[in-house]
Amino acid sequence: MRKEKDYYFQKAKKDKYPARSVYKLDEVQKKYRILKSGQRVLDLGCHPGSWSLYAAQVIGSKGNVVGVDLQETDLPSQKGHAEIHWLCYDVYSDDLIENLKKEWHGFHAVLSDMAPRTTGSQYADHQHSMRLVRRAMEIAGALLHENGIFYCKAFQGEDFPEVIRECKPLFQTVKVVKPDSSRKESREVFIFGRGFKRKKK
Ligand SMILES: C[S@@+](CC[C@H](N)C(=O)[O-])C[C@H]1O[C@@H](n2cnc3c(N)ncnc32)[C@H](O)[C@@H]1O
């Protein structure tokens, strides 16, 4: 068994999170304070729910978390934490952005830990991941407040530099982050955009 898996897996169990992936958000939160009290947070690819639970705790009872996933998630909101609204949706659905807009009037943060079902082909997995990143960027572009933040998983590969080029004009700063809890041998990294620049109409 991998040493890292062991450590973060056990830690998640102890901290009562359903997945070890929570520490990929926790690390960036501790370093950059990306989420703040009272915010509205959109969590794309939220199942089994760790990032949403974590965000709900950080932003507290005045905030709201909306979690979206292909898979149904239904964990209770905790006392003193933000309410979490679990949506079972494919992010490629045509009506997702309009429905979120109607209900929420924008978000301070768009998070995405979306990952394709891996196929064994590194190239195919990379292409699927780039499609998910571009869709997450499109959703963020439609729903983020001015100065909002974007934190999004990506599997690196040949199209990754182009995706970063596409992301840069949307934010004041864009960084690529590799949390310690992300396995060293994995091509997974996170695109971290700060200071969303809404285009003037
Ligand atoms: C690594 S898991 C997310 C773990 C989650 N952040 C947590 O901490 O519990 C990736 C998720 O992305 C979701 N996903 C992949 N493609 C999707 C799509 N097209 N629409 C919505 N969710 C998608 C998968 O169903 C899966 O649950």
Side-chain angles (χ1 to χ4, degrees):
M1 198 190 292
R2 285 186 190 96
K3 215 168 149 196
E4 302 141 81
K5 177 174 178 186
D6 228 15
Y7 173 73
Y8 289 109
F9 179 82
Q10 295 301 344
K11 186 165 164 56
K13 233 170 124 178
K14 190 170 132 260
D15 295 344
K16 298 195 166 49
Y17 286 107
R20 70 192 286 293
S21 45
V22 67
Y23 304 107
K24 300 172 195 172
L25 180 59
D26 175 58
E27 280 183 56
V28 83
Q29 172 65 19
K30 288 195 169 129
K31 192 158 177 191
Y32 301 105
R33 291 200 67 243
I34 66 176
L35 305 176
K36 299 194 177 75
S37 173
Q39 288 184 329
R40 266 200 306 278
V41 175
L42 179 62
D43 179 17
L44 303 173
C46 63
H47 188 81
S50 302
W51 280 25
S52 288
L53 290 174
Y54 179 88
Q57 179 170 16
V58 173
I59 63 180
S61 57
K62 293 203 169 78
N64 275 288
V65 177
V66 179
V68 178
D69 204 288
L70 288 170
Q71 302 180 69
E72 190 113 16
T73 320
D74 191 15
L75 300 171
S77 300
Q78 306 286 312
K79 207 166 165 227
H81 297 187
E83 197 173 336
I84 308 175
H85 307 261
W86 305 106
L87 302 181
C88 189
Y89 239 107
D90 186 334
V91 292
Y92 296 115
S93 305
D94 289 338
D95 58 353
L96 176 65
I97 291 177
E98 275 323 300
N99 286 344
L100 288 171
K101 259 188 188 167
K102 267 189 231 149
E103 197 72 27
W104 296 104
H105 309 292
F107 292 88
H108 301 92
V110 172
L111 313 176
S112 169
D113 194 24
M114 287 193 291
R117 217 178 253 273
T118 46
T119 60
S121 154
Q122 216 169 61
Y123 180 76
D125 295 346
H126 164 62
Q127 290 302 323
H128 286 151
S129 167
M130 293 302 94
R131 188 162 172 247
L132 286 169
V133 172
R134 286 189 165 109
R135 180 60 174 157
M137 270 161 47
E138 189 180 356
I139 293 169
L143 296 172
L144 266 182
H145 288 316
E146 182 78 19
N147 268 323
I149 73 113
F150 180 62
Y151 184 60
C152 178
K153 188 205 306 271
F155 293 158
Q156 284 178 300
E158 63 184 32
D159 289 355
F160 185 67
E162 178 55 33
V163 165
I164 294 294
R165 267 195 296 279
E166 291 167 23
C167 194
K168 278 189 170 163
L170 304 178
F171 297 93
Q172 277 160 24
T173 61
V174 172
K175 267 185 208 290
V176 177
V177 176
K178 175 81 176 171
D180 288 342
S181 51
S182 174
R183 296 187 181 106
K184 307 286 172 287
E185 70 276 20
S186 148
R187 294 158 82 89
E188 167 191 88
V189 289
F190 289 81
I191 301 171
F192 174 29
R194 269 194 292 190
F196 176 66
K197 299 187 270 185
R198 176 151 294 296
K199 279 195 202 127
K200 305 277 176 286
K201 282 185 189 147

